[in-house]
Amino acid sequence: MEYQNLTLEERDGALRISLDRPEVLNALSFELLRELNDVLTGPAAQEGVRAVLLTGAGRAFSAGADLGSTDVSGDIRTVLEESYHPVVRSIAKLDKPVIAGVNGVAAGAGMSLALACDFRLLSEEALFTVGFSGIGLVMDAGCSYFLPRLVGLGRAMELAMSNRRVGAEEALAIGLGERIVAGADFAEEAFAQVRQLAQGPTLGYALAKRELRESFANDLDLQLLLEADSQARAAASHDLREGLAAFREKRAPRFEGR
Ligand code: T3D
């Protein structure tokens, strides 16, 4: 399928999805969100793709809802349920790592998308702003779910109410991002790191993703059961056999994600 608002590149088992409306800082139109969900449930879900990078073209990650084409005072509930929620769920449910490459500003629902990803690589220009309160809205598209889990309740409150901008260093310090990727070519360096991840035991990564995401809703007994279940699957994998053989033979493992 041809995409008008996204650019895709697949290399070495990794898929890079670039939000590609740089003239409006990759603002999220309905069409872009539809295309994004199509990619997350189609090409990104293919077996050959073992890790996904979600990033932005140009100088922004995403400035959030497209304020030019969206009537945010209209039927916003339907807009959220039909356009945003499927994307957030697809990122959470995809059984492989989905990494945000935050190359610039991530505002409003753009920040929500970055937070929905499994972790965030930050360029030195990364900038987060909750954004919603700047135009009199409240957090949506998962922001109020992910933000307190990442930075804690008090910080989430402060960021949501102040709407202030958080740069890369502070984002790293408070848990909004997990790694700063320095250097002139963030797009390439971030993709290289995700391609490296794609060579890992990605079945295990998918199981770890589920364990960690579900841990917030499970009690200890349920979580122990989930761990045992996950470990049984990992223990039956090709990658465990390969990992053990590589250890015995004192060589680097060649994982296949199965
Ligand atoms: O119905 C629904 O969809 C509900 C969902 C709502 C969720 C939300 O996301 S609400 C929050 C929406 N986003 C915002 O409020 C952020 C708006 N943008 C800004 O505050 C600033 O643009 C930034 C802080 C992100 C960046 O500032 P700066 O100075 O680096 O860039 P700029 O000059 O403001 O923007 C550059 C261009 O992008 C400019 O166009 P122009 O003048 O060059 O033709 C600007 O209008 C355009 N742009 C920026 N953000 C958006 C946008 N166009 C459409 N929608 C945007 N969100």
Side-chain angles (χ1 to χ4, degrees), residues 24-25 27 59 63-67 70 72 76 79 84 109 132 140 165:
V24 286
L25 307 184
R59 69 179 174 92
D66 185 346
L67 298 176
T70 310
V72 287
I76 205 161
V79 166
Y84 287 85
F132 301 95
D140 64 21
R165 298 178 184 194

Side-chain angles (χ1 to χ4, degrees), residues 33-50:
L33 290 164
R34 199 186 59 73
E35 290 184 1
L36 183 54
N37 199 46
D38 186 86
V39 173
L40 290 166
T41 54
Q46 298 298 309
E47 206 180 307
V49 172
R50 294 169 59 191

Side-chain angles (χ1 to χ4, degrees), residues 21-28 30 33 59-60 62-77 79-80 83-84 105-112 127 129-135 137-141 163 165:
R21 304 182 71 214
E23 67 288 356
V24 286
L25 307 184
N26 304 320
L28 305 168
F30 298 154
L33 290 164
R59 69 179 174 92
S62 170
D66 185 346
L67 298 176
S69 68
T70 310
D71 175 12
V72 287
S73 59
D75 184 4
I76 205 161
R77 184 192 296 271
V79 166
L80 289 168
S83 297
Y84 287 85
V105 69
M111 177 164 166
S112 304
L127 200 65
T129 170
V130 175
F132 301 95
S133 64
I135 55 170
L137 287 175
V138 296
M139 289 169 283
D140 64 21
N163 195 27
R165 298 178 184 194

Side-chain angles (χ1 to χ4, degrees), residues 234-248:
S237 71
H238 163 276
D239 284 347
L240 173 71
R241 291 193 299 280
E242 166 61 10
L244 291 175
F247 176 74
R248 279 192 297 268

Side-chain angles (χ1 to χ4, degrees), residues 3-225:
Y3 296 103
Q4 308 302 318
N5 302 279
L6 306 174
T7 307
L8 304 187
E9 184 180 353
E10 193 177 333
R11 226 193 298 168
D12 305 331
L15 177 67
R16 174 165 58 190
I17 307 171
S18 300
L19 309 174
D20 198 359
R21 304 182 71 214
E23 67 288 356
V24 286
L25 307 184
N26 304 320
L28 305 168
S29 60
F30 298 154
E31 183 60 16
L32 182 150
L33 290 164
R34 199 186 59 73
E35 290 184 1
L36 183 54
N37 199 46
D38 186 86
V39 173
L40 290 166
T41 54
Q46 298 298 309
E47 206 180 307
V49 172
R50 294 169 59 191
V52 175
L53 173 66
L54 178 63
T55 190
R59 69 179 174 92
F61 179 78
S62 170
D66 185 346
L67 298 176
S69 68
T70 310
D71 175 12
V72 287
S73 59
D75 184 4
I76 205 161
R77 184 192 296 271
T78 302
V79 166
L80 289 168
E81 285 175 359
E82 292 183 355
S83 297
Y84 287 85
H85 297 181
V87 172
V88 173
R89 288 198 186 97
S90 293
I91 293 171
K93 288 186 179 156
L94 198 60
D95 58 351
K96 56 196 76 176
V98 182
I99 315 307
V102 185
N103 53 306
V105 69
M111 177 164 166
S112 304
L113 287 192
L115 300 192
C117 290
D118 297 326
F119 65 86
R120 283 140 295 280
L121 299 177
L122 308 179
S123 87
E124 289 166 314
E125 282 73 43
L127 200 65
F128 291 92
T129 170
V130 175
F132 301 95
S133 64
I135 55 170
L137 287 175
V138 296
M139 289 169 283
D140 64 21
C143 190
S144 68
Y145 181 86
F146 296 113
L147 188 61
R149 284 168 168 76
L150 289 168
V151 303
L153 187 58
R155 278 207 179 97
M157 294 275 188
E158 191 271 327
L159 291 174
M161 292 178 192
S162 69
N163 195 27
R164 69 184 175 84
R165 298 178 184 194
V166 177
E169 291 288 350
E170 185 187 357
L172 187 69
I174 67 176
L176 270 182
E178 284 65 40
R179 196 184 297 165
I180 293 180
V181 178
D185 200 343
F186 173 78
E188 274 316 303
E189 184 49 38
F191 195 28
Q193 294 197 13
V194 173
R195 295 207 310 277
Q196 180 76 34
L197 200 63
Q199 301 310 306
T202 44
L203 171 66
Y205 296 163
L207 294 167
K209 171 172 177 168
R210 187 170 165 219
E211 281 184 353
L212 291 172
R213 284 191 179 260
E214 293 192 6
S215 71
F216 287 95
N218 289 345
D219 63 20
L220 178 62
D221 288 333
L222 214 50
Q223 190 65 17
L224 290 171
L225 285 176

